[in-house]
Amino acid sequence: MKRSVCLFCSAVEDLPASARGLAAEFGAACGARGLRLVYGGSGRGLMGIAARAAAAAGGEVLGIMPRHLIRPERAAENIGTLLIVESLAERKQRMTEAADLFVALPGGIGTLNELIEMLTLNDLGLQAKPVILCASDGFWQPFVAMIERFRAYGVLRPSVERSLRVATSVDETMRLIDSSAASPVPATESRSV
């Protein structure tokens, strides 16, 4: 069965060249490796760059776009399959269900929201899917420092650390994706909050 990688990243235009290059390289690597790219369905910013690169490399692409964002996010109707849903919550649920693992490239509040939810689902034992942060310019370092602060303070369960990986290149990200197929993240016991 084809593995699916869900990509979280920005739909903002005019981001640094390093971020745009990373998105293009990541999408092309997914396509070349036969990974299905699942993403937010935008034709803009890093989302659009990665999706176009994956499709150009022969990869399967699934975009999931809330109806109210079709115009502002310029839904990528000509890249792979585009699934229209009714809300951001449904988009996130569909992306979660469709993915075997998650990769976050540089992004803003929406990316952070998606990333935190995937780590929370792993922490609660509701899924056991790796989460990989990828940026070559130190973009994720403040987030990693916050995770380390949580650990040092005692409020971070080991399940989060087990599921979170950090990469500084697409090659390293692909190695982490390959190794996650061989050794999936163990599920934790379900807990009530």
Side-chain angles (χ1 to χ4, degrees), residues 99-145:
D100 297 307
L101 61 111
F102 307 93
V103 172
L105 298 182
I109 295 297
T111 300
L112 188 58
N113 171 269
E114 292 160 337
L115 172 62
I116 293 292
E117 184 157 340
M118 296 313 108
L119 291 172
T120 302
L121 292 174
N122 285 344
D123 186 43
L124 296 175
L126 299 174
Q127 68 179 18
K129 299 179 181 183
V131 177
I132 303 168
L133 307 177
C134 177
S136 56
D137 60 1
F139 180 86
W140 287 113
Q141 282 315 113
F143 181 79
V144 172

Side-chain angles (χ1 to χ4, degrees), residues 25-135:
E25 186 182 354
F26 178 76
C30 286
R33 286 174 176 257
L35 298 168
R36 180 174 74 155
L37 181 68
V38 178
Y39 81 114
S42 178
R44 302 179 64 220
L46 304 186
M47 278 197 217
I49 291 169
R52 284 188 290 277
E60 183 182 340
V61 177
L62 171 62
I64 303 175
M65 172 68 68
R67 188 174 308 283
H68 70 277
L69 291 179
I70 290 174
R71 280 206 173 107
E73 292 294 322
R74 291 201 313 251
E77 296 172 343
N78 58 345
I79 305 173
T81 302
L82 182 66
L83 174 63
I84 304 300
V85 296
E86 297 306 317
S87 67
L88 285 168
E90 184 182 358
R91 173 206 244 175
K92 207 174 340 179
Q93 180 181 351
R94 295 290 189 102
M95 291 170 82
T96 303
E97 291 167 352
D100 297 307
L101 61 111
F102 307 93
V103 172
L105 298 182
I109 295 297
T111 300
L112 188 58
N113 171 269
E114 292 160 337
L115 172 62
I116 293 292
E117 184 157 340
M118 296 313 108
L119 291 172
T120 302
L121 292 174
N122 285 344
D123 186 43
L124 296 175
L126 299 174
Q127 68 179 18
K129 299 179 181 183
V131 177
I132 303 168
L133 307 177
C134 177

